[in-house]
């Protein structure tokens, strides 16, 4: 049983209406409080119905209409005002708006969790990738020791030397920076990271690959 049917078991619309000030005649007729009623147009007992303006319902509905509350809040008000023995906590019957709100909040939380997960994954993959770039540059540095100048002064090697401090700077941010700094890197420089890492990898292959062939 939900709290609406429990409240209705304990209370008639008439009891609720009288409690909140409606004057009901002995025959169960009353002046309707929901329109400007001069002669009693409302019939009220277990439920209420106005023959003039057409409104009607049970005790919960009456309170909801009277105080501009949701059905759920109206039921809570009755439970509180009449100290009804109805258990509210535990098995709360939520109204539709409340359910929708909870559903929306859940979706939003999941969306944020998903973005966070993607971001964290990107950070750890990028750290691996950039560390690997540094190793590749080291490789090339060692490889070029004692090589003739025309091999050392290649465009690829120049780009690597230029990339190294940038890569170290990014690694500092990714390993030790604030979340906001890492987010900024992710949002602004994701493509640039990709580009430079790709260039280092390709450059290493060209330098070590072709030199190996000619050596
Ligand atoms: Zn009415």
């Amino acid at each position: 049983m939900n709290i609406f049917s429990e409240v209705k078991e304990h209370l008639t619309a008439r009891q609720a209406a009288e409690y909140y000030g409606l004057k009901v005649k002995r025959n169960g007729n009353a002046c309707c409080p929901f329109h400007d009623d001069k002669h009693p147009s409302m019939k009220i007992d277990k439920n209420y119905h106005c023959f003039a303006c057409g409104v009607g319902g049970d005790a919960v509905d009456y309170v909801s209409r009277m105080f501009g509350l949701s059905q759920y809040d109206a039921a809570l008000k009755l439970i509180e005002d009449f100290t009804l023995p109805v258990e509210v906590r535990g098995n709360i019957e939520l109204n539709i708006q409340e359910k929708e709100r909870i559903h929306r909040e859940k979706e939003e939380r999941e969306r944020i969790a998903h973005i966070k997960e993607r971001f964290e994954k990107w950070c750890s993959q990028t750290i691996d990738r950039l560390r690997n770039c540094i190793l590749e540059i080291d490789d090339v540095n060692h490889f070029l020791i004692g090589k003739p100048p025309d091999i050392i002064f290649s465009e690829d090697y120049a780009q690597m030397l230029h990339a190294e401090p940038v890569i170290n700077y990014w690694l500092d941010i990714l390993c030790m920076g604030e979340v906001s700094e890492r987010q900024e890197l992710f949002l602004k420089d994701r493509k640039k990271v990709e580009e430079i890492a790709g260039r280092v990898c390709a450059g290493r292959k060209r330098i070590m690959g072709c030199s190996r062939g000619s050596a």
Side-chain angles (χ1 to χ4, degrees):
M1 213 193 304
N2 61 40
I3 67 165
F4 300 115
S5 38
E6 282 197 65
V7 166
K8 277 185 269 177
E9 274 218 340
H10 291 287
L11 280 179
T12 65
R14 178 171 178 161
Q15 284 172 296
E18 286 185 317
Y19 181 83
Y20 297 115
L22 188 74
K23 298 272 175 283
V24 182
K25 293 180 188 236
R26 218 187 273 177
N27 59 5
N29 289 335
C31 281
C32 173
F34 303 116
H35 80 276
D36 187 18
D37 199 12
K38 300 283 185 286
H39 306 286
S41 310
M42 181 178 274
K43 191 84 182 161
I44 186 163
D45 184 24
K46 193 172 185 313
N47 294 312
Y48 72 98
H49 180 75
C50 173
F51 292 92
C53 70
V55 297
D58 54 35
V60 173
D61 185 274
Y62 184 94
V63 172
S64 151
R65 199 183 298 277
M66 171 66 59
F67 296 100
L69 298 172
S70 70
Q71 296 275 314
Y72 181 69
D73 287 339
L76 288 186
K77 180 171 174 59
L78 284 169
I79 290 168
E80 202 172 294
D81 290 347
F82 283 86
T83 35
L84 298 177
V86 174
E87 181 63 52
V88 175
R89 267 171 292 246
N91 186 22
I92 296 175
E93 185 70 20
L94 300 171
N95 65 38
I96 291 166
Q97 283 163 350
E98 188 73 357
K99 273 182 188 162
E100 276 175 0
R101 190 180 61 77
I102 288 169
H103 181 69
R104 272 200 307 276
E105 284 178 357
K106 185 168 169 259
E107 278 187 340
E108 183 63 10
R109 271 199 307 277
E110 284 171 354
R111 199 177 67 84
I112 289 170
H114 179 71
I115 293 172
K116 247 183 175 168
E117 196 183 313
R118 250 188 67 201
F119 170 66
E120 292 299 336
K121 199 173 162 191
W122 178 83
C123 286
S124 79
Q125 282 175 345
T126 305
I127 288 172
D128 288 347
R129 183 113 194 253
L130 293 178
R131 277 184 176 150
N132 200 48
C133 283
I134 295 293
L135 292 177
E136 287 182 322
I137 295 171
D138 273 358
D139 254 9
V140 172
N141 283 336
H142 281 102
F143 175 81
L144 289 177
I145 293 171
K147 290 283 186 300
D150 62 310
I151 294 179
I152 294 175
F153 296 112
S154 67
E155 177 63 24
D156 281 327
Y157 189 49
Q159 285 199 354
M160 278 190 183
L161 293 181
H162 181 73
E164 194 175 9
V166 179
I167 290 172
N168 278 320
Y169 170 69
W170 286 337
L171 276 171
D172 278 353
I173 290 177
L174 287 170
C175 299
M176 291 175 295
E178 302 285 328
V179 179
S180 61
E181 292 176 301
R182 291 192 286 141
Q183 280 172 343
E184 202 178 314
L185 184 63
F186 175 71
L187 293 172
K188 282 191 186 161
D189 286 333
R190 205 163 59 226
K191 271 197 182 140
K192 209 170 156 193
V193 168
E194 202 61 35
E195 201 183 291
I196 287 187
R199 212 182 289 156
V200 167
C201 180
R204 173 186 171 273
K205 273 182 197 152
R206 275 195 293 270
I207 293 171
M208 294 179 68
C210 72
S211 299
R212 216 173 264 144
S214 64

